[in-house]
C-alpha cells in the first residue's frame, strides 16, 4: 500500500472513530440556533471583566428565562424559571454533574459532589444517616463552644470602627466543620492565618479562573503554568491535612475497639475533642471500612472528607457574612432578630422562625452556590425545549431568586417574604440548597450552624453598616464578596 493510501486510510479511520461526536456536535449546533444567547466575543469580553453574575443577570433580562452559552465546544443551556427548575431537579435521569465539575476533581476526586450514577447513589445512601437531625443535635454543644470563641475574638473589634468580618467568620466555620464532621479540634480561630484556609482560598480562586478560561481548562498544559503550580501547592496542603485527620481518627477508633474488647468501658468515653464521644461523619466512613461493609478505600474516604471540608465551610462562611452585612444595613430587622434570639436562647434547633426567614432571604439574594449544572445523557424535554444529549443544563439560582413574579422588587431585603408568605410561593422559587435526589445533604447542618452563630452574635453585638461599603458578589465556586464584608460592631447593653 502506498504512503498516500495509508494516510488516507488513517484519516478515514479517525473520521469514523469521531463520527458519532461530530454528528452529535452538529445536533447541538442545530439546537443552539433555536435559543437566544451571547456571541463568543461578548462572552470573552465579560469573562475578562470578571463580573459574571451581573452579566448573567443582564442576559436573563435580555433573553428571558432560557438562553444558551457556548463555552468552547460545551453547550450550556441556562434555566431560571421555577417550573423548569422543578422539572430539572426532580428528574432522575439528570444525576450526572456537567464537565465543569471535573475542575474540582484534583481536590475532591469522586466525592459526593462530583460523583455520578451508581457509585454516587451508594455513597449518598451511606452518608445520609450521618446528617439525621437527631445525630446533628449532638453537635450543637461543640458548635456553641465555637460560637463563644467567635464572640470573644470579636471583642477586639467592638469599638464602632469598620472592619472586614469575613476572616473571623471563615475561621469559625472551619472549626465548626472540623469538629462536627471530622471529629477533630483544629483551633483555626485561635491560630489564625491558618495555612488550610489560605489553601482553600487559593484553590477556589484558581479553579474559578480555570473554569472560565478555554485553554486553562486543559489540565495537561495548566499544571505547568504559574497558576497550576499554585493550585498544586494548595492541593498538597489540603490533602496532607485530610490524610492526617483520617489517620488520627482511625487510630482512635481502633484504640476504642481494643478497649471495648477488654471490657474496660464502664465509664463514659472521652475523645480527643475532650468531651463525650460523638460519632463524626468521618467515623461513619471509617467504621464502614473497618467492618468491611462497603468497599471504601482510603482515597474514597479522603474524597468524601475533602468534599465536606469544601462544601461545609465555604458555603456557610459566605452565608453568615452576607447575613451580617444585610442585618447591619437594616436596623429594624436586626432588632426583631435580636429580640427573638434573646427570648428563644438555646432553641435554635427547634425554633427561631424569624431568624430562619432572615437566613433564607440572605440565601435568596446571595445564594452560596449561585448556579449548578448537570450533563444531559439522553435527549430531554424541559418545558417546550428538547435539550439534546451532550449539552449541559445549568440552573441559574441567582436569577431564579430574582424572579419578580415570586419576589416583587427582587433586590429589596425583606425576610417577611419567608416569614409571612412562604406558603404562597412557588415550591421551586427558592432553591438555595437545590432540591430532589441531588439536593444539599448538609442543609440541616448548615441551618443549625447559621442559626447558632447568628443568634449568639446578635445577642452579643449590635451590627452597623460601613456606609462606603457595598459587597461585590463574585461567582467563584462558592459565591463570595470580592471586597470583603465590612461593617462595625459595638457590644449590646443587656436589657
Ligand atoms: C449555606 C450553606 C449551604 C448551601 C447554600 C449549600 C448548597 C448546596 C447546593 C446548591 C448543592 C447542589 C450543588 C450541585 O448540584 O452542584 C449542594 C450539594 C452538596 N452540599 Fe451543600 N450547601 C450548604 C452547606 C453544606 C454543608 C454544611 C455541607 C456539609 C456538611 C454540605 C454538603 C454538600 C454535599 C456533600 C453536596 C453534594 C450532594 C450530592 O450531590 O449528593 N453543604 N449544596
Amino acid at each position: 500500500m502506498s504512503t498516500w493510501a495509508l494516510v488516507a486510510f488513517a484519516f478515514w479511520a479517525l473520521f469514523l472513530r469521531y463520527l458519532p461526536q461530530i454528528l452529535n456536535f452538529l445536533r447541538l449546533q442545530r439546537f443552539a440556533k433555536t435559543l437566544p444567547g451571547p456571541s463568543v466575543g461578548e462572552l470573552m469580553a465579560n469573562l475578562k471583566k470578571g463580573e459574571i453574575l451581573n452579566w448573567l443577570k443582564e442576559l436573563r433580562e435580555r433573553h428571558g428565562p432560557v438562553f444558551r452559552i457556548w463555552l468552547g465546544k460545551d453547550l450550556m443551556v441556562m434555566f431560571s424559571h421555577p417550573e423548569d427548575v422543578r422539572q430539572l431537579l426532580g428528574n432522575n435521569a439528570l444525576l450526572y454533574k456537567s464537565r465543569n465539575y471535573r475542575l474540582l476533581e484534583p481536590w475532591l476526586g469522586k466525592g459526593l459532589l462530583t460523583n455520578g450514577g451508581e457509585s454516587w447513589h451508594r455513597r449518598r445512601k451511606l452518608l445520609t444517616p450521618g446528617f439525621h437531625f437527631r445525630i446533628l443535635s449532638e453537635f450543637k454543644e461543640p458548635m456553641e463552644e465555637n460560637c463563644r470563641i467567635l464572640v470573644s475574638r470579636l471583642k477586639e473589634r467592638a469599638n464602632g470602627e469598620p472592619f472586614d468580618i469575613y476572616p473571623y467568620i471563615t475561621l469559625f466555620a472551619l472549626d465548626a466543620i472540623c469538629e462536627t464532621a471530622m471529629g477533630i479540634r483544629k483551633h483555626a480561630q485561635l491560630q489564625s492565618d491558618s495555612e488550610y484556609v489560605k489553601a482553600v482560598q487559593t484553590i477556589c480562586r484558581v479553579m474559578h479562573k480555570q473554569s472560565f478560561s478555554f485553554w486553562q481548562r486543559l489540565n495537561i498544559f495548566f499544571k505547568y503554568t504559574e497558576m497550576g503550580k499554585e493550585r498544586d501547592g494548595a492541593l498538597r496542603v489540603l490533602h496532607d491535612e485530610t490524610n492526617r485527620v483520617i489517620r488520627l481518627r482511625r487510630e482512635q477508633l481502633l484504640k476504642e475497639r481494643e478497649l471495648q474488647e477488654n471490657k474496660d468501658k464502664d465509664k463514659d468515653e472521652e475523645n480527643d475533642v475532650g468531651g463525650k464521644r460523638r460519632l463524626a461523619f468521618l467515623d461513619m466512613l471509617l467504621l464502614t471500612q473497618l467492618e468491611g461493609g462497603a468497599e471504601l478505600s482510603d482515597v474514597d474516604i479522603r474524597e468524601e472528607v475533602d468534599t465536606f471540608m469544601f462544601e461545609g465551610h465555604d458555603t456557610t462562611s459566605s452565608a453568615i457574612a452576607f447575613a451580617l452585612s444585610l442585618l447591619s444595613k437594616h436596623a429594624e430587622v436586626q432588632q426583631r432578630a435580636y429580640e427573638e434570639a434573646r427570648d428563644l436562647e438555646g432553641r435554635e434547633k427547634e425554633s427561631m422562625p424569624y431568624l430562619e426567614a432572615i437566613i433564607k432571604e440572605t440565601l435568596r439574594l446571595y445564594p452560596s452556590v449561585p448556579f449548578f449544572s448537570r450533563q444531559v445523557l439522553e435527549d430531554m424535554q424541559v418545558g417546550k425545549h428538547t435539550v439534546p444529549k451532550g449539552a449541559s443544563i445549568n440552573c441559574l439560582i441567582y436569577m431564579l431568586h430574582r424572579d419578580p413574579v415570586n419576589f416583587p422588587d427582587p433586590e429589596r431585603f425583606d425576610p417577611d417574604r419567608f416569614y409571612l408568605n412562604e406558603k404562597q410561593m412557588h415550591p421551586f422559587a427558592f432553591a438555595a440548597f437545590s432540591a430532589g435526589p441531588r439536593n444539599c445533604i448538609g442543609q440541616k447542618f448548615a441551618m443549625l450552624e447559621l442559626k447558632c452563630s447568628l443568634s449568639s452574635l446578635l445577642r452579643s453585638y449590635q451590627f452597623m453598616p460601613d456606609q462606603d461599603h457595598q459587597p461585590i458578589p463574585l461567582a467563584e465556586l462558592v459565591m463570595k464578596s470580592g471586597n470583603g464584608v465590612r461593617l462595625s460592631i459595638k457590644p449590646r447593653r443587656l436589657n
Side-chain angles (χ1 to χ4, degrees):
M1 203 187 277
S2 76
T3 315
W4 281 114
L6 264 175
V7 170
F9 180 73
F11 271 111
W12 181 242
L14 212 62
F15 174 73
L16 286 182
R17 160 80 181 73
Y18 287 105
L19 186 61
Q21 280 99 318
I22 295 167
L23 290 178
N24 202 54
F25 183 70
L26 294 176
R27 281 192 76 212
L28 290 181
Q29 273 199 326
R30 266 201 308 278
F31 172 71
K33 284 193 183 128
T34 66
L35 291 177
S39 65
V40 176
E42 185 181 338
L43 169 74
M44 301 292 275
N46 280 281
L47 292 183
K48 212 165 163 198
K49 259 202 274 170
E51 289 185 16
I52 302 299
L53 286 175
N54 278 341
W55 180 55
L56 287 173
K57 214 162 118 184
E58 207 185 296
L59 290 176
R60 165 73 174 82
E61 276 157 23
R62 200 190 314 157
H63 299 305
V66 187
F67 57 93
R68 56 97 192 124
I69 293 181
W70 279 107
L71 203 57
K73 65 178 179 37
D74 292 340
L75 174 64
M76 306 208 297
V77 189
M78 322 298 259
F79 289 94
S80 57
H81 190 280
E83 263 314 305
D84 293 339
V85 171
R86 182 210 295 264
Q87 267 191 45
L88 294 172
L89 298 184
N91 194 325
N92 277 326
L94 210 53
L95 296 181
Y96 282 86
K97 297 295 173 78
S98 71
R99 274 195 279 273
N100 251 350
Y101 288 71
R102 289 191 196 151
L103 294 174
L104 286 166
E105 285 181 7
W107 181 16
L108 309 182
K110 287 282 178 199
L112 210 54
L113 180 70
T114 40
N115 211 342
E118 192 42 41
S119 157
W120 163 79
H121 195 254
R122 258 185 283 119
R123 298 266 188 100
R124 177 91 189 197
K125 243 170 96 179
L126 187 71
L127 289 163
T128 298
F131 288 91
H132 194 280
F133 213 33
R134 192 171 48 76
I135 296 173
L136 290 185
S137 64
E138 281 201 28
F139 291 106
K140 196 160 167 271
E141 194 191 304
M143 189 95 84
E144 281 166 355
E145 170 61 17
N146 283 315
C147 290
R148 277 193 288 278
I149 299 176
L150 173 62
V151 165
S152 153
R153 288 190 70 224
L154 284 170
K155 269 187 201 148
E156 67 192 26
R157 296 296 196 162
N159 53 11
E161 288 297 314
F163 70 105
D164 181 8
I165 201 165
Y166 193 79
Y168 290 85
I169 303 295
T170 193
L171 293 177
F172 155 78
L174 182 60
D175 274 343
I177 191 71
C178 280
E179 197 161 333
T180 52
M182 309 306 143
I184 58 150
R185 260 190 186 163
K186 194 154 172 49
H187 297 306
Q189 293 198 84
L190 302 173
Q191 299 153 17
S192 50
D193 226 15
S194 147
E195 210 189 347
Y196 186 83
V197 174
K198 278 200 236 153
V200 172
Q201 284 162 349
T202 304
I203 202 122
C204 288
R205 179 174 43 80
V206 169
M207 285 183 175
H208 169 71
K209 287 229 165 80
Q210 227 190 329
S211 71
F212 288 109
S213 156
F214 305 119
W215 71 270
Q216 285 179 340
R217 284 156 74 97
L218 302 170
N219 200 35
I220 317 174
F221 306 118
F222 180 71
K223 62 184 177 189
Y224 298 109
T225 63
E226 271 313 300
M227 218 194 278
K229 286 180 194 151
E230 208 185 345
R231 178 198 69 178
D232 290 344
L235 278 179
R236 264 193 299 281
V237 174
L238 297 170
H239 286 162
D240 284 354
E241 177 59 3
T242 319
N243 286 330
R244 189 187 71 83
V245 175
I246 293 173
R247 264 198 316 275
L248 210 87
R249 293 301 287 184
R250 181 182 289 118
E251 280 166 20
Q252 195 186 341
L253 281 173
L254 287 170
K255 224 186 281 167
E256 281 169 10
R257 276 185 149 199
E258 213 176 296
L259 274 175
Q260 201 163 19
E261 278 164 14
N262 293 336
K263 306 252 184 287
D264 189 18
K265 284 186 55 65
D266 320 331
K267 33 187 191 327
D268 263 355
E269 297 161 58
E270 295 277 317
N271 67 357
D272 69 337
V273 180
K276 194 168 176 295
R277 181 81 174 91
R278 296 180 188 89
L279 274 192
F281 304 128
L282 167 60
D283 295 324
M284 293 177 32
L285 293 172
L286 287 170
L287 281 171
T288 311
Q289 188 193 46
L290 288 171
E291 281 155 17
E295 276 179 30
L296 273 177
S297 68
D298 276 10
V299 174
D300 295 339
I301 293 183
R302 196 200 68 208
E303 290 171 351
E304 295 307 346
V305 172
D306 281 339
T307 298
F308 289 153
M309 291 295 221
F310 165 59
E311 274 287 327
H313 106 276
D314 235 16
T315 47
T316 48
S317 313
S318 178
I320 298 169
F322 279 121
L324 291 173
S325 169
L326 289 163
L327 287 170
S328 76
K329 295 188 177 105
H330 296 83
E332 267 175 48
V333 175
Q334 188 181 159
Q335 182 61 23
R336 271 171 84 184
Y338 161 65
E339 284 165 18
E340 185 186 75
R342 182 195 59 196
D343 298 346
L344 299 178
E345 182 164 1
R347 296 189 51 199
E348 289 83 355
K349 191 163 75 73
E350 321 83 56
S351 177
M352 292 204 184
Y354 191 59
L355 187 55
E356 203 165 308
I358 291 175
I359 293 169
K360 287 185 180 165
E361 180 66 349
T362 304
L363 288 172
R364 182 185 73 79
L365 286 168
Y366 299 111
S368 308
V369 183
F371 38 76
F372 46 80
S373 50
R374 304 273 191 275
Q375 197 62 34
V376 179
L377 299 182
E378 290 303 328
D379 290 5
M380 172 172 295
Q381 193 67 32
V382 189
K384 57 183 172 41
H385 305 281
T386 309
V387 184
K389 164 182 160 184
S392 67
I393 269 173
N394 206 311
C395 289
L396 290 179
I397 300 303
Y398 187 75
M399 261 54 77
L400 172 78
H401 288 178
R402 281 165 169 75
D403 176 2
V405 175
N406 284 291
F407 304 107
D409 193 5
E411 293 300 336
R412 189 165 52 89
F413 174 65
D414 177 10
D416 279 337
R417 297 181 205 267
F418 289 95
Y419 189 61
L420 302 176
N421 299 322
E422 191 171 9
K423 288 206 171 73
Q424 282 93 293
M425 255 176 223
H426 188 291
F428 283 76
F430 174 76
F433 292 102
S434 183
R438 293 219 67 163
N439 70 349
C440 173
I441 198 172
Q443 174 171 352
K444 286 189 173 128
F445 178 94
M447 281 310 269
L448 183 66
E449 183 179 329
L450 281 156
K451 287 206 266 176
C452 282
S453 54
L454 289 170
S455 63
S456 46
L457 287 169
L458 283 165
R459 279 191 295 271
S460 311
Y461 298 108
Q462 195 177 339
F463 292 81
M464 288 141 324
D466 175 354
Q467 299 298 355
D468 304 327
H469 177 78
Q470 183 59 34
I472 302 173
L474 287 189
E476 295 202 355
L477 297 174
V478 167
M479 184 195 281
K480 306 249 175 68
S481 166
N483 55 347
V485 175
R486 291 183 67 79
L487 41 72
S488 62
I489 59 174
K490 62 179 185 198
R492 273 192 191 274
R493 251 181 294 135
L494 292 176
N495 49 20

